[in-house]
């Protein structure tokens, strides 16, 4: 009996050709696994295409809720932005797909899993490191890395075996999409000086004219409502996408550092994600104690880096999660977002557990702040600088 391999299947050209190529060239049975992460696929078409390509079995896993709860929610708590800008759209999805690859491999008694990544990107790192962490006994196969096909070769190969690629859309870009946003690479974007043509964008096409306000509610760091209506995270993100995207808000254009040492120009569209992250970080400003806030801000870039680098399942990432979770207990309240053409910004915030005390902050009224205490505090605070300054004055430099 031929060995079985479970392939992470997207329905695109490369993974479709990979099904047939592994069957023919490696002599294995291929189980195609498609994971629904809110990218909005036509799953019956995806299923049919995988079967036409030669898969012995097709599994479609609806992982939207799991993705939101276990991957997006921690990213919100950690205010996760790689290199300060990218909300980790693809980086968050790969460890979850890896988890489903492993589960499917167990269910179908497969000895290996496979992905359709090239050797130049981050996604191969994320898939393989995640699978090794979850199931060190499984092999990982990367057909796209071993065949020597150009895009034309792949199209020809598909035609030879009657794999329907006409249906796979002929975009000049390489796109990845899920609940948390959309990533676009390749084509004219490979010239970092070139302005992205408007056809790059789908979620942030400016249409809305009238300013509007939105209120996002949080409970212990988790977004739970929009304009007072309770929503799950997997409902809230698309709802926010639709609300703020039409203002043209949510675009990122950056040259980023891949884990494999290559700089690449990337376009991201993440209206809902960026609005939520902005609101969450703002509410922390009101609810986190000063030292906690400052330490958290130091650890956040590290969390994002680990996730970007494919180390979702790693001891440091778990330890940082524990820290992040501990900080979120009182991150509850509401943030008011205002949208107007070209932008969306925080216009106000309130919290039942706020650390903002009007009595202390105000300059206007008589208050309970003991002004006389400030004198001694400031003198002692500045003492070491004062001592240093006096010595400068005497000209005796040690
Ligand atoms: N540069 C981003 C990242 O590394 C996006 C990758 C998108 N992946 C893709 N196969 N198109 O996370």
């Amino acid at each position: 009996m031929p060995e079985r391999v479970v392939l992470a299947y997207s329905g695109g050209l490369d993974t479709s050709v990979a099904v047939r190529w592994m069957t023919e060239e490696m002599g294995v049975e291929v189980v195609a696994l498609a994971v629904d992460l809110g990218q909005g696929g036509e799953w019956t078409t995806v299923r049919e295409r995988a079967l036409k390509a030669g898969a012995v079995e097709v599994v479609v896993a609806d992982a939207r809720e799991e993705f939101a709860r276990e991957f997006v929610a921690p990213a919100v708590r950690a205010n996760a932005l790689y290199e300060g800008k990218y909300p980790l759209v693809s980086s968050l999805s790969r460890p979850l797909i890896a988890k489903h690859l492993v589960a499917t491999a167990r269910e179908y008694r497969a000895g290996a899993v496979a992905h359709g990544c090239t050797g130049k990107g981050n996604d191969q790192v994320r898939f393989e490191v995640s699978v090794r962490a979850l199931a060190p006994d499984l092999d990982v196969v990367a057909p796209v890395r071993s065949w020597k096909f150009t895009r034309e070769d792949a199209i020809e190969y598909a035609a030879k075996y009657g794999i329907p690629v006409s249906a796979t859309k002929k975009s000049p870009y390489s796109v990845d999409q899920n609940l948390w946003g959309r990533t676009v690479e390749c084509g004219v974007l490979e010239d970092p000086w070139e302005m992205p043509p408007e056809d790059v964008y789908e979620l942030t096409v400016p249409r809305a004219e009238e300013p509007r306000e939105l209120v996002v509610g949080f409970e212990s760091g988790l977004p739970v409502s929009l304009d007072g209506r309770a929503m799950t995270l997997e409902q809230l993100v698309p709802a926010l996408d639709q609300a703020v995207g039409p203002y043209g808000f949510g675009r990122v254009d950056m040259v980023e550092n891949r884990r494999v040492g290559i700089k690449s120009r990337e376009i991201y569209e993440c209206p809902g994600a960026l609005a939520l992250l902005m609101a969450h970080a703002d509410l922390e400003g009101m609810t986190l104690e000063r030292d906690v806030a400052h330490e958290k801000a130091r650890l956040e870039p590290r969390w994002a880096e680990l996730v970007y680098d494919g180390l979702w399942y790693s001891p440091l990432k778990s330890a940082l999660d524990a820290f992040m979770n501990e900080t979120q207990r009182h991150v509850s309240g509401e943030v008011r977002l205002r949208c107007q053409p070209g932008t969306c910004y925080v216009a106000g915030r309130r919290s039942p557990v706020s650390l903002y005390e009007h009595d202390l902050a105000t300059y206007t009224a008589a208050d309970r702040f003991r002004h006389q205490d400030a004198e001694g505090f400031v003198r002692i605070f500045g003492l070491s600088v004062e001592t240093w300054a006096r010595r400068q004055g005497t000209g005796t430099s040690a």
Side-chain angles (χ1 to χ4, degrees), residues 201-215:
Y201 300 110
E202 277 183 11
L203 308 178
T204 58
V205 180
R207 279 188 306 266
E209 310 264 301
E210 291 306 309
R212 83 177 269 193
E213 288 199 2
L214 294 154
V215 176

Side-chain angles (χ1 to χ4, degrees), residues 86 90-91 94 122-123 126 174-176 183 185 256 258 264 266 268 308:
Y86 164 46
S90 308
S91 332
R94 270 46 183 178
N122 295 309
D123 291 327
R126 298 167 185 150
S174 163
V175 176
D176 186 37
T183 78
E185 298 161 73
E256 78 187 27
R258 289 190 187 162
S264 74
E266 310 269 337
Y268 300 114
Y308 185 87

Side-chain angles (χ1 to χ4, degrees), residues 102-237:
V102 170
T104 310
R106 298 300 187 221
E107 193 182 334
Y108 288 86
R109 300 185 188 290
V113 298
H115 61 72
C117 307
T118 69
K120 284 184 148 187
N122 295 309
D123 291 327
Q124 56 173 348
V125 180
R126 298 167 185 150
F127 275 128
E128 291 176 42
V129 174
S130 297
V131 170
R132 297 234 152 82
L134 296 171
D137 59 301
L138 287 179
D139 279 337
V140 187
V141 187
V144 177
R145 230 163 33 193
S146 23
W147 71 37
K148 303 274 181 299
F149 290 171
T150 61
R151 189 176 162 86
E152 287 66 40
D153 295 338
I155 291 171
E156 205 174 293
Y157 191 91
K160 180 173 156 200
Y161 286 100
I163 304 167
V165 293
S166 50
T168 66
K169 37 169 206 277
K170 269 233 218 70
S171 160
Y173 310 111
S174 163
V175 176
D176 186 37
Q177 190 165 350
N178 62 44
L179 178 75
W180 206 222
R182 190 166 171 270
T183 78
V184 194
E185 298 161 73
C186 300
V188 291
L189 301 175
E190 285 177 0
D191 177 353
W193 176 253
E194 199 62 45
M195 185 169 130
E198 278 302 306
D199 71 353
V200 162
Y201 300 110
E202 277 183 11
L203 308 178
T204 58
V205 180
R207 279 188 306 266
E209 310 264 301
E210 291 306 309
R212 83 177 269 193
E213 288 199 2
L214 294 154
V215 176
V216 185
F218 291 86
E219 257 167 45
S220 301
L222 187 72
V224 292
S225 67
L226 187 59
D227 290 334
R229 268 181 304 135
M231 280 190 197
T232 62
L233 192 53
E234 68 272 22
Q235 293 169 329
L236 210 155
V237 178

Side-chain angles (χ1 to χ4, degrees), residues 51-379:
L51 290 172
K52 285 217 177 94
V56 292
E57 198 77 57
V58 186
V59 178
V60 179
D62 181 354
R64 284 173 295 182
E65 194 267 335
E66 186 184 15
F67 183 52
R69 178 170 36 87
E70 287 181 27
F71 293 80
V72 171
V76 173
R77 292 196 285 266
N79 294 323
L81 292 171
Y82 178 65
E83 296 185 338
K85 292 184 182 166
Y86 164 46
L88 298 171
V89 178
S90 308
S91 332
L92 289 174
S93 73
R94 270 46 183 178
L96 174 56
I97 299 172
K99 185 177 162 192
H100 282 266
L101 278 173
V102 170
T104 310
R106 298 300 187 221
E107 193 182 334
Y108 288 86
R109 300 185 188 290
V113 298
H115 61 72
C117 307
T118 69
K120 284 184 148 187
N122 295 309
D123 291 327
Q124 56 173 348
V125 180
R126 298 167 185 150
F127 275 128
E128 291 176 42
V129 174
S130 297
V131 170
R132 297 234 152 82
L134 296 171
D137 59 301
L138 287 179
D139 279 337
V140 187
V141 187
V144 177
R145 230 163 33 193
S146 23
W147 71 37
K148 303 274 181 299
F149 290 171
T150 61
R151 189 176 162 86
E152 287 66 40
D153 295 338
I155 291 171
E156 205 174 293
Y157 191 91
K160 180 173 156 200
Y161 286 100
I163 304 167
V165 293
S166 50
T168 66
K169 37 169 206 277
K170 269 233 218 70
S171 160
Y173 310 111
S174 163
V175 176
D176 186 37
Q177 190 165 350
N178 62 44
L179 178 75
W180 206 222
R182 190 166 171 270
T183 78
V184 194
E185 298 161 73
C186 300
V188 291
L189 301 175
E190 285 177 0
D191 177 353
W193 176 253
E194 199 62 45
M195 185 169 130
E198 278 302 306
D199 71 353
V200 162
Y201 300 110
E202 277 183 11
L203 308 178
T204 58
V205 180
R207 279 188 306 266
E209 310 264 301
E210 291 306 309
R212 83 177 269 193
E213 288 199 2
L214 294 154
V215 176
V216 185
F218 291 86
E219 257 167 45
S220 301
L222 187 72
V224 292
S225 67
L226 187 59
D227 290 334
R229 268 181 304 135
M231 280 190 197
T232 62
L233 192 53
E234 68 272 22
Q235 293 169 329
L236 210 155
V237 178
L240 259 185
D241 277 336
Q242 275 162 32
V244 304
Y247 290 89
F249 174 84
R251 296 180 177 184
V252 178
D253 176 348
M254 72 190 284
V255 175
E256 78 187 27
N257 291 289
R258 289 190 187 162
R259 179 62 281 204
V260 293
I262 299 171
K263 283 195 190 290
S264 74
R265 199 279 186 90
E266 310 269 337
I267 300 296
Y268 300 114
E269 281 191 288
C270 312
L274 291 172
L276 260 190
L277 290 168
M278 175 169 69
H280 175 264
D282 185 275
L283 186 60
E284 285 190 337
M286 177 172 252
T287 53
L288 292 188
E289 183 276 332
R290 180 177 187 262
D291 280 326
V292 170
H294 290 186
E295 201 55 37
K296 183 167 185 286
R298 280 190 270 267
L299 294 172
E300 285 167 358
R302 193 72 183 101
W303 192 96
E305 226 167 76
L306 289 170
V307 173
Y308 185 87
D309 287 353
L311 295 167
W312 182 271
Y313 304 107
S314 70
L316 179 55
K317 156 71 172 40
S318 303
L320 291 183
D321 275 332
F323 173 86
M324 299 296 171
N325 287 342
E326 173 63 26
T327 64
Q328 296 300 291
R329 284 198 279 158
H330 301 300
V331 183
S332 303
E334 288 181 322
V335 179
R336 183 174 181 180
L337 298 176
R338 189 168 169 84
C339 305
Q340 54 196 51
T343 183
C344 170
Y345 57 93
V346 174
R349 71 291 286 157
R350 64 182 170 196
S351 166
V353 286
S354 169
L355 298 176
Y356 176 88
E357 296 225 359
H358 186 263
D359 282 11
L360 287 177
T362 186
Y363 282 106
T364 51
D367 55 59
R368 61 184 180 78
F369 183 81
R370 289 163 39 115
H371 290 257
Q372 67 276 23
D373 289 354
E375 189 182 337
F377 167 74
V378 177
R379 186 172 294 281

